[in-house]
Amino acid sequence: HAYSFPKDFWWGSAVSATQIEGAANEGGKGKNIWDHWYELEPNRFFEEVGPSATSDFYHRYQDDIALMKAIGHNSFRFSISWSRLIPGGEGEVNKEAVAFYNNVIDELIANGIEPFVNLFHFDMPFELQEKGGWENREVVELYAQYAAACYDLFGDRVKKWFTFNEPIVPVEGGYLYDFHYPNIVDARRAFQVAYHTVLAHALAVAAFRTRSIEDGKIGIILNLTPSYPRSDHLGDQKAAAIADLFFNRSFLDAVVLGSFPKELVALLDEYGQLPTYEKEDVALINAQRIDLLGVNYYQPRRVKAKEHLPNPASPFMPEWFFDHYDMPGRKMNHYRGWEIYEKGIYDIMVNLKDNYGNIESFVSENGMGVQNEERFMENGQIQDKYRIEFIKGHLKWLHQAIQEGCNVRGYHLWTFMDNWSWTNAYKNRYGFISVDVQTQKRTPKKSAEWIKAVSQQNGF
Ligand code: BGP
């Protein structure tokens, strides 16, 4: 093959609890912020489709796992719902939830699919959000207890653990740009949330290290958005470096290098935006480095120098330091409004090699959401050639990075089957498998057949 991947490369896909399980009011599950927000403001959600039904994985996991096997997966990432495992976020574990996650894990292993388990995918238990969510230090401790409970319950079989998926997204969505509950716009509080999330991560890594999980690895999943300046001019370069500090290095440096970038700390300090922190916590963050990094990559960030100085009386925002920039002629996924830039995945991996100790990594999400995919139906199957091209384009650059010595171990697509999106419900479909939301019927798309061949041949 023109593109062969290393031995034991991880081929698979990713999902999250809220987006696929459904059964939101079954099996003793407590409420999370998404259940609550939907009750409160259903018209915020695309076509008023909420998180209660989604793709019914709770009842159909056996058939779904059989399908994963049928399309060649050797690994699969899902998340545990905190509010299902520990309703209310603290106290006793829910036995029905333990049984459900045990069944999923056992079924995956029986089918030769390695479970990758993520502990938090945007789904704060509602009661804990009422206590302030990540702004509250007590919630940080409760999260560490929840993580420890998960290791003890499932660590005998699960070897790949992730503390968070895209921890910066609840910061952006919930506290800066108004697309997650509690939809507050307040940078100072946003930075407190970000800092406490890093701390929660470090405590969960520390709890992992005190257990001896044979061959176990602990990591985190970050959405890295490489920042490209409009030009070589110093102003544009500086703008890109600052965007990179806020949106990438904030979390990446903390979890891989053990400290926040000095330039970011100095900048927040200068503007009176530093979160409240304890010295011991900084030492803890420094001591707890990850083993494995999941990289979610969808789009780059293109920036240019500010055209107008920000009004100092306006609320502080990262955008005080850069303007967004649309590169002329860029390739777009117009459905989602995201630029498609395949080389970005290579740039990320080379950066990890050069500046982050070549940490073991994999692509934990990459994917293409498309509207009205039935248009591409032929003989009962969606012919999603655009998705195949999209994946190929990224895999070629990933292959190049591996050739150059980047420590990349796998590629997971977002997502296994069409599922519920936080922002657009079932409008943009991402899956290898299409789902009829009315009947819950699953049908593999063309890309499912293609990925099966790719995973079996370990290349294309
Ligand atoms: C990632 C999230 C996923 C998923 C995906 C697609 O950021 O980790 O949960 O939702 O994006 O994005 P969207 O659903 O917004 O189209």
Side-chain angles (χ1 to χ4, degrees):
H1 305 292
Y3 300 93
S4 287
F5 286 82
K7 194 170 162 287
D8 301 326
F9 203 67
W10 307 327
W11 297 103
S13 58
V15 299
S16 88
T18 308
Q19 295 177 276
I20 63 159
E21 283 181 7
N25 311 308
E26 271 178 68
K29 179 177 162 295
K31 249 206 255 181
N32 65 34
I33 54 171
W34 296 95
D35 302 311
H36 171 74
W37 206 15
Y38 183 65
E39 278 170 25
L40 198 69
E41 290 184 69
N43 57 3
R44 257 193 179 260
F45 292 82
F46 184 72
E47 287 183 343
E48 302 199 3
V49 176
S52 59
T54 69
S55 296
D56 202 30
F57 185 71
Y58 189 75
H59 298 111
R60 295 168 198 259
Y61 68 89
Q62 281 177 309
D63 292 347
D64 289 338
I65 292 170
L67 261 180
M68 286 170 208
K69 184 181 183 185
I71 68 169
H73 279 24
N74 60 18
S75 48
F76 172 67
R77 191 242 303 187
F78 64 96
S79 74
I80 292 176
S81 157
W82 186 355
S83 59
R84 185 181 292 288
L85 194 75
I86 306 179
E90 56 188 312
E92 294 295 298
V93 299
N94 165 14
K95 294 211 172 64
E96 282 181 80
V98 175
F100 168 64
Y101 292 116
N102 270 332
N103 289 342
V104 170
I105 291 163
D106 292 343
E107 192 74 19
L108 285 167
I109 293 172
N111 282 281
I113 301 167
E114 182 171 7
F116 287 31
V117 172
N118 170 35
L119 295 172
F120 189 90
H121 199 126
F122 307 166
D123 51 354
M124 179 64 78
F126 175 62
E127 293 79 354
L128 299 188
Q129 187 63 49
E130 287 287 274
K131 291 187 175 182
W134 294 118
E135 286 183 84
N136 182 349
R137 171 73 205 233
E138 196 192 321
V139 170
V140 172
E141 303 290 342
L142 289 170
Y143 167 81
Q145 289 168 24
Y146 153 68
C150 291
Y151 307 144
D152 291 341
L153 286 163
F154 312 117
D156 57 336
R157 289 150 293 154
V158 174
K159 304 301 174 191
K160 306 277 193 306
W161 289 91
F162 301 91
T163 56
F164 284 88
N165 174 79
E166 303 188 350
I168 204 167
V169 169
V171 176
E172 296 173 330
Y175 297 86
L176 283 176
Y177 307 118
D178 189 26
F179 60 92
H180 277 206
Y181 192 77
N183 57 309
I184 288 161
V185 178
D186 184 330
R188 179 70 173 63
R189 291 172 70 179
F191 301 138
Q192 191 68 51
V193 166
Y195 168 69
H196 272 164
T197 321
V198 170
L199 182 59
H201 159 83
L203 284 168
V205 175
F208 188 84
R209 301 282 181 224
T210 63
R211 287 159 172 80
S212 43
I213 297 182
E214 213 187 314
D215 300 326
K217 292 197 173 172
I218 183 85
I220 194 168
I221 290 159
L222 300 181
N223 51 318
L224 298 179
T225 47
S227 278
Y228 299 108
R230 171 183 53 182
S231 76
D232 291 345
H233 294 147
L234 195 59
D236 290 337
Q237 301 261 355
K238 274 192 178 160
I242 291 189
D244 193 38
L245 280 175
F246 276 109
F247 297 104
N248 298 317
R249 294 187 54 200
S250 47
F251 280 89
L252 182 60
D253 286 25
V255 302
V256 181
L257 306 177
S259 58
F260 295 99
K262 282 194 197 67
E263 304 91 313
L264 180 62
V265 175
L267 187 140
L268 295 186
D269 195 21
E270 186 185 337
Y271 288 86
Q273 299 291 330
L274 273 186
T276 311
Y277 68 97
E278 309 287 336
K279 277 220 174 77
E280 309 86 79
D281 294 344
V282 176
L284 174 88
I285 290 167
N286 188 257
Q288 302 301 337
R289 319 281 175 92
I290 55 169
D291 306 319
L292 175 61
L293 178 70
V295 174
N296 291 358
Y297 174 65
Y298 290 89
Q299 55 171 342
R301 185 181 300 271
R302 300 205 183 264
V303 300
K304 59 183 180 186
K306 283 278 332 157
E307 262 161 41
H308 306 282
L309 286 179
N311 172 358
S314 68
F316 182 88
M317 289 294 272
E319 282 76 5
W320 274 24
F321 306 97
F322 58 86
D323 280 342
H324 293 280
Y325 167 68
D326 291 340
M327 189 178 70
R330 70 206 201 286
K331 189 151 71 162
M332 289 289 291
N333 170 1
H334 290 284
Y335 304 103
R336 193 62 184 82
W338 287 347
E339 180 179 345
I340 299 176
Y341 183 63
E342 293 96 340
K343 181 173 176 283
I345 213 162
Y346 165 88
D347 292 340
I348 292 172
M349 295 309 180
V350 169
N351 181 34
L352 294 178
K353 171 164 76 74
D354 293 346
N355 301 310
Y356 295 88
N358 207 11
I359 183 159
E360 182 172 21
S361 73
F362 73 113
V363 175
S364 42
E365 283 183 32
N366 174 231
M368 191 182 181
V370 172
Q371 238 163 286
N372 302 323
E373 280 199 296
E374 321 77 68
R375 280 176 298 155
F376 305 105
M377 183 84 83
E378 270 169 45
N379 308 320
Q381 185 185 52
I382 292 169
Q383 306 294 315
D384 54 344
K385 296 188 184 119
Y386 41 87
R387 184 167 290 106
I388 296 173
E389 288 313 309
F390 179 97
I391 301 172
K392 258 192 199 167
H394 287 84
L395 281 178
K396 286 180 184 171
W397 278 110
L398 200 62
H399 183 266
Q400 178 66 31
I402 296 169
Q403 293 305 301
E404 293 177 21
C406 297
N407 192 6
V408 182
R409 303 296 306 275
Y411 178 89
H412 282 181
L413 186 80
W414 183 267
T415 179
F416 170 62
M417 60 182 166
D418 294 342
N419 62 42
W420 185 79
S421 160
W422 322 97
T423 54
N424 61 71
Y426 280 86
K427 182 166 103 183
N428 290 323
R429 306 295 185 101
Y430 287 86
F432 282 130
I433 310 288
S434 75
V435 173
D436 179 323
V437 187
Q438 259 64 53
T439 63
Q440 290 292 344
K441 187 171 184 293
R442 276 80 163 129
T443 316
K445 302 177 192 175
K446 185 81 187 165
S447 58
E449 284 174 11
W450 178 79
I451 201 69
K452 176 181 185 174
V454 172
S455 11
Q456 285 175 347
Q457 300 156 13
N458 205 31
F460 60 97

